[in-house]
Amino acid sequence: MSNTTAVPTPGAFQFPEIYNFPPLFTRQPNESTWQEQRRQWCDLILAYYRHNRLYSLTLAEAITEPPFTNRQIHRSLRVDVLRELVDDLVKQGNASWTGAKNAKDSCLVLWRKPEVWASMIYQWANERGLFNTVLTVFELANGDDTVGQEFHNLDSVTLRRALDVLQSQGKAQLFVGTSDEDMGVKLFA
Amino acid sequence: ANEIVSMAEHIATQLNSPAASKLHRKDAAESDEDNAERVDAFRQYLLDLGIDSPVTRNTAGAVFHDELARELCDYLENYVSQCGGTVALVDAYCLYNRAREFSLVYPSDFVQACEKFEALQLPLRLREYPSGLLVLEDASSASDALIISRVGAYIASFGPLTASDLAAIEDCALTLAEERLWLCERAGALCRDESVEGVRFYANAFAAAAAVGAGRGEGDVQEPLWQYI
């Protein structure tokens, strides 16, 4: 379903009041009502995923769980409505379809855009004087040196996206190993 | 049949005569009160029996639809009021044709006459809802704004409503209740909740939330602290 790669932020997620409003879970036919509804959902999805440090979702599984199911009020979002919401998130750069092309059944939730992750990693490397040394992607994500950094224990697909951004900006070079965990990266000024 | 019609006409004339109306005057004798009641009851029987001289193409010629429109309004106005200001067109048509009995009106003529109500400034209106439902409405009392505020008030008192709830409250047909709820939804006053229990309408909390959020800037979901490279 979703990758949990870190301890969630302390404290349960605080749902907004509208989360217990049953119409939230019905696709509204009135266009301007829908605009507000989709805005509420997109905000909620990103906030929930950020709070729980979740990075990806598979639509068919996700709708049976919070936040897309609210057991208190016995309502669930329909999968086609969720698909519409993810399309919106993709448009605003906060999601990316994965899996089979045009299948639209799984996606990354980019509650922090890859460019921002890239910036954090680059800044950390600069501070530690790690330019021009080869690091494994594994130690970047999970090594002792990165404990306390935001990107520590970052989901591997999202991390790869961030490193791709750095590479396209000419600030890094990726070395492909036998798997993603074996991959190496060299950052430079 | 024409004999019955002319007999009814004759009786109607007598009922409307000055002698008959004396029975209703304040200084009438007590025994006259009973008579007055009987006269009224008889008038009602005549009305139920039918219209005494219906408009036909023969009688009206070129202004047939105009005259028909006037007759329709005459006949249907009270009925529409009693039904809460709105009546399905098919119901009005059946009622009216039953009253005409022997010189029935074609549906097309009926509709054409109804379409003239507004132009002739008669007190009823023909209205078509987006779903295709045709109704006759009291020109004065059925405006959208009134429906929206009424339904809003019901929801404030009774909580979220289904179409059958509204039909029970307003004592109207289910299809009409649905149209009213959809009208309020189109206007943004209500939003819907669909579940296995059916469709229920709530006051539109999204609109309220949108109003609150109007002052909010773009990009608040993103963290403002980090710079892009």
Side-chain angles (χ1 to χ4, degrees):
Chain A
M1 180 176 114
S2 0
N3 280 334
T4 326
T5 55
V7 177
T9 316
F13 179 72
Q14 298 281 29
F15 286 98
E17 229 179 285
I18 206 160
Y19 187 64
N20 292 320
F21 187 55
L24 183 68
F25 294 82
T26 300
R27 171 47 160 107
Q28 295 300 320
N30 177 309
E31 195 51 38
S32 36
T33 308
W34 163 244
Q35 288 309 317
E36 179 58 26
Q37 181 187 16
R38 68 149 213 87
R39 201 190 56 76
Q40 294 278 354
W41 267 114
C42 288
D43 283 359
L44 174 60
I45 292 169
L46 294 178
Y48 185 87
Y49 273 62
R50 174 187 287 116
H51 180 93
N52 292 305
R53 292 188 80 86
L54 304 169
Y55 298 96
S56 63
L57 80 91
T58 304
L59 272 63
E61 295 167 15
I63 53 168
T64 61
E65 293 291 321
F68 308 108
T69 286
N70 182 339
R71 298 209 168 89
Q72 251 90 336
I73 61 170
H74 310 290
R75 294 287 184 274
S76 286
L77 201 61
R78 269 192 359 226
V79 73
D80 55 325
V81 186
L82 179 54
R83 198 166 280 129
E84 227 183 314
L85 292 171
V86 174
D87 273 335
D88 278 333
L89 285 171
V90 168
K91 266 195 212 110
Q92 66 187 60
N94 283 118
S96 164
W97 290 112
T98 56
K101 193 174 176 175
N102 292 333
K104 292 194 178 179
D105 42 26
S106 62
C107 69
L108 287 183
V109 178
L110 305 167
W111 43 266
R112 181 171 285 152
K113 294 191 177 176
E115 294 82 358
V116 182
W117 288 118
S119 168
M120 288 175 170
I121 292 166
Y122 192 77
Q123 197 154 331
W124 165 84
N126 193 7
E127 283 165 7
R128 300 295 174 94
L130 287 168
F131 285 166
N132 298 312
T133 53
V134 177
L135 307 159
T136 65
V137 169
F138 179 80
E139 66 181 328
L140 196 57
N142 307 104
D144 294 338
D145 283 347
T146 65
V147 169
Q149 295 296 317
E150 281 278 330
F151 55 85
H152 186 70
N153 285 338
L154 182 58
D155 160 77
S156 57
V157 181
T158 311
L159 175 56
R160 177 60 195 274
R161 296 281 178 105
L163 295 175
D164 285 343
V165 167
L166 285 173
Q167 180 160 262
S168 70
Q169 289 166 341
K171 291 184 151 71
Q173 177 71 54
L174 287 164
F175 305 96
V176 178
T178 51
S179 74
D180 269 355
E181 307 267 292
D182 279 355
M183 220 166 39
V185 61
K186 182 155 93 170
L187 299 151
F188 23 80
Chain B
N2 283 328
E3 289 155 14
I4 297 179
V5 169
S6 56
M7 194 192 316
E9 267 184 359
H10 178 67
I11 296 172
T13 321
Q14 294 226 316
L15 280 180
N16 289 329
S17 73
S21 62
K22 265 196 206 150
L23 291 172
H24 280 279
R25 277 184 13 215
K26 286 202 172 117
D27 57 345
E30 265 184 50
S31 62
D32 283 346
E33 271 179 36
D34 292 337
N35 284 338
E37 274 176 32
R38 287 196 207 110
V39 163
D40 284 342
F42 199 70
R43 273 208 188 103
Q44 188 57 42
Y45 294 148
L46 278 192
L47 201 65
D48 291 346
L49 194 69
I51 292 154
D52 43 4
S53 43
V55 170
T56 64
R57 277 210 162 78
N58 287 337
T59 63
V63 292
F64 171 58
H65 288 120
D66 288 2
E67 287 305 309
L68 185 58
R70 282 181 228 280
E71 184 175 282
L72 280 176
C73 255
D74 240 8
Y75 188 71
L76 292 170
E77 195 180 347
N78 285 336
Y79 176 67
V80 171
S81 284
Q82 276 163 30
C83 292
T86 312
V87 157
L89 193 71
V90 288
D91 291 342
Y93 175 69
C94 290
L95 193 75
Y96 176 71
N97 246 3
R98 189 177 62 129
R100 281 181 68 113
E101 290 188 342
F102 300 105
S103 56
L104 302 177
V105 153
Y106 282 109
S108 53
D109 285 329
F110 186 79
V111 172
Q112 276 188 290
C114 289
E115 282 164 354
K116 296 209 161 205
F117 285 156
E118 194 156 358
L120 295 173
Q121 300 191 310
L122 295 169
L124 292 181
R125 290 283 178 274
L126 176 66
R127 178 181 184 163
E128 181 172 356
Y129 283 102
S131 69
L133 181 69
L134 289 167
V135 298
L136 286 183
E137 285 181 335
D138 221 333
S140 56
S141 73
S143 78
D144 288 0
L146 283 170
I147 293 173
I148 291 169
S149 69
R150 245 179 23 233
V151 172
Y154 298 146
I155 290 181
S157 308
F158 305 122
L161 297 177
T162 62
S164 43
D165 293 338
L166 184 61
I169 293 170
E170 300 227 291
D171 193 24
C172 68
L174 190 63
T175 45
L176 208 50
E178 281 181 331
E179 288 293 348
R180 286 179 177 161
L181 289 169
W182 295 338
L183 185 155
C184 296
E185 184 183 39
R186 280 194 300 275
L190 301 183
C191 56
R192 67 169 62 196
D193 164 46
E194 288 173 1
S195 69
V196 291
E197 295 148 10
V199 185
R200 196 172 290 271
F201 287 84
Y202 287 68
N204 190 350
F206 297 109
V212 164
R216 190 184 25 230
E218 284 301 321
D220 277 13
V221 175
Q222 308 294 326
E223 316 125 282
L225 302 174
W226 293 96
Q227 311 284 326
Y228 292 115
I229 292 176

